């Protein structure tokens, strides 16, 4: 068998690596592989975090939640594309806990109990390079901690809310609802932790936290230096991920209670006198300046058709979060290509949601969200070039007629 075979024995592959890269590289690779096993085997799942909090810390539970059922979409292409995703979800009871002896490490403020057991609820249940540089860096931290060279304990009380996913969708629907559990903790303990956010927070993170009542006096930006707070407050995490390759295994954990809490918490920050409930606005959420695709190549021609039917185009990147809130609170119809801006449907009263897809990208996020919120939903599937749309104008007009717009 050739040395280059993928099925070569471990000694053969090790020798090949040594021959091509040298002894130092081979030793580093071996340490990384051993560290990977060590870190993964000792990581704490949500259930294990719950047990740890019951035995070593304190824990408070939110209310039980009802099951969520997602009906199949009416649009035939979307129904086929989403057929294999689970349609029934039974939310695990959420909790918030307080733990001593936790270290915050890496650029993500990932938590490690006693410096050696990763709390997956602080990494979105992911072993990802977004959250740590390497497995060897984590095992090195563990070794230092065992030798008494870990970070010094401070008198801080911290609540980790670091989101390193680039999408506004995940921040809004996966991370901000954790503030509900933080408020439960504050009510039960009369203590107010500082909220830890990413080292260089993006504008939408600052904007939404300010609006939610967690301004600069209530939060700190993570300094990326390992720290040991006196106590760490951790909320159980509900992942919002879909496995496009194997839909049945999607780690998607929606919570209607979370969505409704965030909706009301944010909406009540805006005086009703500033909202015109009879505006009945028809919004088109443009992605023409988005850097992740799904732009409309014949935008001007398509927008002319939509404007004739009362739609107004908006580039949400230009707006403050408060302005976006007001816009969606006055919406009767929300339309646009698949993209994070559609998550703001959460703040609308009872809209019709019209999602435009290139035929190459049919994904479940906003159909599922609209279903959970009880909103009417329609899909328009049109031509696609890679990740972008080229709208068939005749088909667009036909679909808008069928929808009644």
């Amino acid at each position: 068998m050739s040395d280059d075979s993928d099925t070569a024995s471990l000694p053969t592959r090790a020798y090949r690596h040594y021959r091509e890269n040298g002894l130092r590289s081979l030793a580093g690779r071996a340490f990384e592989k051993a560290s990977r096993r060590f870190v993964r085997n000792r990581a704490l799942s949500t259930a294990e975090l719950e047990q740890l909090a019951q035995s070593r810390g304190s824990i408070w539970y939110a209310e039980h939640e009802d099951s969520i059922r997602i009906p199949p979409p009416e649009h035939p292409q979307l129904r086929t594309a989403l057929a294999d995703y689970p349609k029934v979800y039974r939310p695990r009871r959420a909790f918030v806990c307080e733990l001593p002896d936790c270290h915050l490490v890496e650029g993500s403020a990932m938590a490690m109990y006693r410096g050696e057991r990763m709390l997956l609820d602080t990494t979105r249940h992911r072993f990802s390079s977004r959250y740590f540089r390497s497995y060897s860096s984590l095992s090195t931290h563990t070794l230092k901690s065992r030798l008494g060279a870990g970070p010094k304990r401070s008198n801080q009380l911290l609540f980790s809310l670091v989101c390193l996913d680039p999408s506004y969708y995940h921040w809004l629907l996966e991370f901000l609802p954790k503030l509900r559990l933080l408020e439960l903790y504050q009510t039960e303990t009369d203590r107010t932790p500082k909220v830890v956010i990413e080292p260089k927070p993006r504008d939408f993170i600052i904007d939404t936290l300010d609006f939610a009542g967690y301004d600069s006096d209530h939060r700190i930006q993570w300094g990326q230096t390992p720290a040991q707070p006196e106590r760490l407050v951790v909320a159980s995490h509900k992942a919002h991920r879909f496995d496009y390759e194997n839909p049945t295994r999607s780690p998607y954990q929606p919570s209607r209670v979370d969505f409704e809490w965030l909706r009301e918490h944010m909406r009540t920050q805006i005086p009703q006198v500033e909202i015109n409930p009879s505006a009945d606005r028809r919004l088109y959420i443009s992605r023409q300046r988005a850097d992740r695709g799904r732009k409309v190549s014949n935008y001007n021609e398509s927008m002319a058709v939509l404007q004739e039917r009362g739609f107004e185009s908006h580039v949400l990147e230009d707006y403050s979060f408060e302005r976006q809130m007001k816009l969606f609170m006055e919406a009767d119809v929300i339309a646009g290509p698949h993209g994070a801006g559609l998550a703001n449907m959460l703040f609308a009263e009872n809209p019709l949601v019209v999602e435009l897809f290139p035929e190459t990208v049919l994904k479940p996020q906003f159909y599922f969200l609209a279903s959970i919120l009880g909103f009417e939903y329609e899909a328009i599937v049109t031509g696609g070039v890679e990740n972008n749309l080229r709208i068939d104008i005749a088909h667009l007009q036909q679909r808008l007629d069928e929808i009644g717009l």
Side-chain angles (χ1 to χ4, degrees), residues 173-191:
L173 299 178
E174 191 171 344
F175 282 82
L176 272 183
K178 288 187 172 187
L179 296 178
R180 175 173 76 97
L181 298 173
L182 175 57
E183 293 192 358
L184 171 62
Y185 171 84
Q186 292 170 330
T187 298
E188 294 291 337
T189 66
D190 201 30
R191 294 193 287 270

Side-chain angles (χ1 to χ4, degrees), residues 194-374:
K194 289 276 190 177
V195 176
V196 182
I197 60 174
E198 62 189 61
K200 297 179 180 178
R202 291 153 287 175
D203 290 343
F204 64 74
I205 288 179
I206 296 296
D207 215 7
T208 49
L209 285 174
D210 283 346
F211 195 81
Y214 292 84
D215 60 19
S216 58
D217 291 336
H218 296 87
R219 62 179 187 250
I220 59 172
Q221 293 174 208
W222 175 236
Q224 304 188 67
T225 300
Q228 184 179 359
E230 181 179 354
R231 287 168 295 184
L232 181 68
V233 180
V234 181
S236 57
H237 188 85
K238 294 184 174 70
H240 281 243
R241 301 200 313 276
F242 292 94
D243 187 332
Y244 304 129
E245 299 298 323
N246 191 347
T248 59
R249 300 184 63 181
S250 294
Y252 178 63
Q253 301 170 314
S255 166
R256 183 180 286 112
V257 173
D258 275 354
F259 296 158
E260 291 176 349
W261 176 86
L262 183 60
R263 167 189 168 88
E264 292 309 309
H265 183 81
M266 294 302 203
R267 282 170 59 103
T268 54
Q269 308 302 314
I270 296 180
Q272 285 301 307
V273 294
E274 298 182 16
I275 303 299
N276 179 3
S278 59
D280 292 339
R281 301 174 75 166
R282 294 185 174 186
L283 310 180
Y284 175 83
I285 309 306
S286 171
R287 287 187 57 86
Q288 295 307 106
R289 285 179 25 206
D291 57 6
R292 301 181 73 186
R294 297 184 298 284
K295 300 176 183 179
V296 176
S297 61
N298 56 337
Y299 172 79
N300 290 336
E301 187 181 7
S302 303
M303 199 62 225
V305 172
L306 291 167
Q307 286 175 333
E308 289 177 355
R309 297 172 185 250
F311 282 89
E312 51 194 72
S313 180
H314 294 274
V315 179
L316 298 184
E317 294 94 324
D318 291 339
Y319 301 166
S320 69
F321 179 69
E322 181 174 358
R323 185 176 176 187
Q324 293 181 46
M325 283 277 302
K326 292 177 179 178
L327 187 68
F328 280 81
M329 288 174 71
E330 293 182 344
D332 181 54
V333 182
I334 300 167
H338 176 87
L342 294 179
N344 282 333
M345 74 171 79
L346 182 71
F347 307 117
E349 186 60 39
N350 187 27
L352 163 63
V353 178
V354 182
E355 186 172 9
L356 282 69
F357 292 99
E359 57 192 0
T360 52
V361 181
L362 297 175
K363 295 182 177 180
Q365 284 87 343
F366 301 107
Y367 172 68
F368 278 39
L369 179 59
S371 296
I372 292 168
L373 296 173

Side-chain angles (χ1 to χ4, degrees), residues 18-314:
Y18 161 72
R19 187 179 61 196
E20 295 174 355
N21 302 283
L23 181 60
R24 178 176 294 183
S25 176
L26 177 63
R29 185 179 185 184
F31 183 50
E32 177 68 10
K33 285 182 175 293
S35 297
R36 184 180 189 273
R37 288 193 297 272
F38 176 78
V39 171
R40 282 179 171 259
N41 288 342
R42 295 178 63 78
L44 295 175
S45 67
T46 300
E48 291 166 328
L49 171 63
E50 182 178 11
Q51 294 172 357
L52 176 66
Q54 290 171 343
S55 62
R56 302 293 178 86
S58 302
I59 189 167
W60 299 267
Y61 290 92
E63 66 271 36
H64 291 282
E65 300 185 39
D66 293 334
S67 297
I68 294 172
R69 295 180 180 273
I70 308 292
E74 294 183 3
H75 192 285
Q77 285 175 268
L78 192 61
R79 186 188 312 127
T80 299
L82 306 189
D84 292 336
Y85 289 95
K87 300 300 190 301
V88 179
Y89 299 91
R90 297 176 176 83
R92 183 186 183 95
R93 191 178 184 186
F95 64 86
V96 61
C97 61
E98 180 188 88
L99 293 171
D101 303 323
C102 285
H103 297 182
L104 298 179
V105 301
E106 300 285 335
S108 63
M110 180 186 71
M112 297 184 75
Y113 181 65
R114 292 186 171 173
E116 57 182 83
R117 305 203 68 182
M118 181 193 299
L119 305 187
L120 289 174
D121 286 81
T122 64
T123 69
R124 298 180 65 213
H125 306 295
R126 302 189 80 171
F127 296 96
S128 168
S129 59
R130 279 185 182 154
Y131 289 89
F132 53 91
R133 291 168 292 168
S134 65
Y135 287 100
S136 56
S137 69
L138 298 182
S139 59
T140 299
H141 178 85
T142 295
L143 179 60
K144 288 181 178 179
S145 299
R146 289 183 175 182
L147 295 174
K152 293 182 179 180
R153 185 192 301 271
S154 72
N155 61 359
Q156 291 177 305
L157 176 64
L158 300 179
F159 177 80
S160 180
L161 197 66
V162 175
C163 170
L164 299 185
D165 191 283
S167 174
Y168 171 76
Y169 167 89
H170 289 286
W171 169 250
L172 183 71
L173 299 178
E174 191 171 344
F175 282 82
L176 272 183
K178 288 187 172 187
L179 296 178
R180 175 173 76 97
L181 298 173
L182 175 57
E183 293 192 358
L184 171 62
Y185 171 84
Q186 292 170 330
T187 298
E188 294 291 337
T189 66
D190 201 30
R191 294 193 287 270
T192 304
K194 289 276 190 177
V195 176
V196 182
I197 60 174
E198 62 189 61
K200 297 179 180 178
R202 291 153 287 175
D203 290 343
F204 64 74
I205 288 179
I206 296 296
D207 215 7
T208 49
L209 285 174
D210 283 346
F211 195 81
Y214 292 84
D215 60 19
S216 58
D217 291 336
H218 296 87
R219 62 179 187 250
I220 59 172
Q221 293 174 208
W222 175 236
Q224 304 188 67
T225 300
Q228 184 179 359
E230 181 179 354
R231 287 168 295 184
L232 181 68
V233 180
V234 181
S236 57
H237 188 85
K238 294 184 174 70
H240 281 243
R241 301 200 313 276
F242 292 94
D243 187 332
Y244 304 129
E245 299 298 323
N246 191 347
T248 59
R249 300 184 63 181
S250 294
Y252 178 63
Q253 301 170 314
S255 166
R256 183 180 286 112
V257 173
D258 275 354
F259 296 158
E260 291 176 349
W261 176 86
L262 183 60
R263 167 189 168 88
E264 292 309 309
H265 183 81
M266 294 302 203
R267 282 170 59 103
T268 54
Q269 308 302 314
I270 296 180
Q272 285 301 307
V273 294
E274 298 182 16
I275 303 299
N276 179 3
S278 59
D280 292 339
R281 301 174 75 166
R282 294 185 174 186
L283 310 180
Y284 175 83
I285 309 306
S286 171
R287 287 187 57 86
Q288 295 307 106
R289 285 179 25 206
D291 57 6
R292 301 181 73 186
R294 297 184 298 284
K295 300 176 183 179
V296 176
S297 61
N298 56 337
Y299 172 79
N300 290 336
E301 187 181 7
S302 303
M303 199 62 225
V305 172
L306 291 167
Q307 286 175 333
E308 289 177 355
R309 297 172 185 250
F311 282 89
E312 51 194 72
S313 180
H314 294 274

